[in-house]
Amino acid sequence: MNKFKKIFAILLVASLGTVVACGDDDDKGTKANNTDQTQTDTGTNGSDTGTNDSDTGTNGGDDTKQLKDLSAAELSAFCTQTNKQESVLFDPSNEFGKTNCLINGSFDGYFDGEDEADAKDICELSQADCLADPVVDSDVCMNPTDCTATVAEFDKCTLDYIASEKALLAKFAGKTCADYTTEAGYDAMIAILDSSDFPASCEALETKCPKIFELEDDTE
């Protein structure tokens, strides 16, 4: 995954936990090296709402303004809007949130389970905990230094990325922990997660925002 794809995903799914691989299985340990990338990829899904409403834009409605030119207040509002929408997108009461709970639970079960039955049980417990968790707004914000992309360009990337990931998550419809906590099931899950292409609009945005992946906390 390139750096922008990683940071863009983080901006949208910062409230998701990171799965830590456990156990002594060497093959699982090798696969665990891909866990951070894969889980980051899973977490950028949701509705067709963008990170910013063009009618009530967080920067005063000027979507032609470059991100580097946003004032501190405008940037904070922009990030708050982005993170608030991310929280809605990962609400476990909707299908996208439920799917992400399944995926994260599957990682927990696969890496922590002693055998397939144990892995399935761990996945189901993790999934249940995830579904019961309230959605909490994140305070993660981008670094707009030297970013010549406009608010509209960022929004375009957001919409394209969300649409791409929505299509990806649809491939998990009807699946359960039992489908992804075996060796073959885990490999199948990874193959699905790796099948999503990063939108051209986001690749273009990366070239205009060389430092956007250097995270800043907008509460500091």
Side-chain angles (χ1 to χ4, degrees):
M1 178 191 303
N2 59 45
K3 289 181 178 178
F4 181 78
K5 183 173 183 180
K6 184 173 184 178
I7 187 58
F8 187 78
I10 290 173
L11 286 172
L12 291 181
V13 296
S15 64
L16 290 183
T18 301
V19 170
V20 179
C22 301
D24 298 323
D25 186 285
D26 291 336
D27 185 49
K28 289 185 179 181
T30 299
K31 293 176 180 177
N33 292 330
N34 296 323
T35 301
D36 286 341
Q37 172 179 333
T38 305
Q39 284 190 287
T40 302
D41 287 348
T42 69
T44 52
N45 324 286
S47 73
D48 287 329
T49 59
T51 59
N52 188 43
D53 188 315
S54 59
D55 294 326
T56 59
T58 56
N59 65 340
D62 183 7
D63 63 0
T64 65
K65 196 168 188 176
Q66 294 183 348
L67 296 180
K68 69 179 179 63
D69 295 328
L70 294 178
S71 68
E74 289 171 337
L75 179 63
S76 178
F78 187 83
C79 290
T80 296
Q81 177 76 358
T82 299
N83 292 326
K84 182 178 296 185
Q85 292 190 357
E86 170 266 318
S87 295
V88 171
L89 300 180
F90 285 88
D91 186 337
S93 68
N94 67 46
E95 290 306 312
F96 302 110
K98 290 176 182 177
T99 299
N100 275 297
C101 286
L102 168 63
I103 293 170
N104 283 282
S106 296
F107 276 111
D108 283 341
Y110 178 79
F111 287 112
D112 293 350
E114 296 294 330
D115 52 39
E116 290 184 2
D118 187 40
K120 178 176 174 292
D121 289 343
I122 291 174
C123 174
E124 290 174 347
L125 287 172
S126 176
Q127 184 182 20
D129 287 342
C130 177
L131 292 172
D133 280 345
V135 177
V136 179
D137 288 350
S138 169
D139 57 6
V140 173
C141 196
M142 75 184 82
N143 183 345
T145 305
D146 299 329
C147 181
T148 58
T150 64
V151 169
E153 288 174 313
F154 188 92
D155 286 347
K156 170 63 174 171
C157 171
T158 300
L159 290 173
D160 290 346
Y161 194 70
I162 289 174
S164 174
E165 294 300 295
K166 285 176 65 178
L168 178 70
L169 286 185
K171 297 178 181 180
F172 291 91
K175 300 298 183 180
T176 68
C177 286
D179 293 300
Y180 299 123
T181 49
T182 63
E183 288 288 339
Y186 177 87
D187 288 341
M189 180 176 67
I190 295 300
I192 294 173
L193 295 175
D194 284 345
S195 68
S196 179
D197 293 327
F198 200 46
S201 58
C202 297
E203 296 286 359
L205 184 57
E206 179 185 14
T207 66
K208 295 184 177 184
C209 302
K211 297 181 180 180
I212 200 168
F213 49 82
E214 297 175 5
L215 283 175
E216 292 184 82
D217 189 327
D218 66 3
T219 64
E220 293 181 350

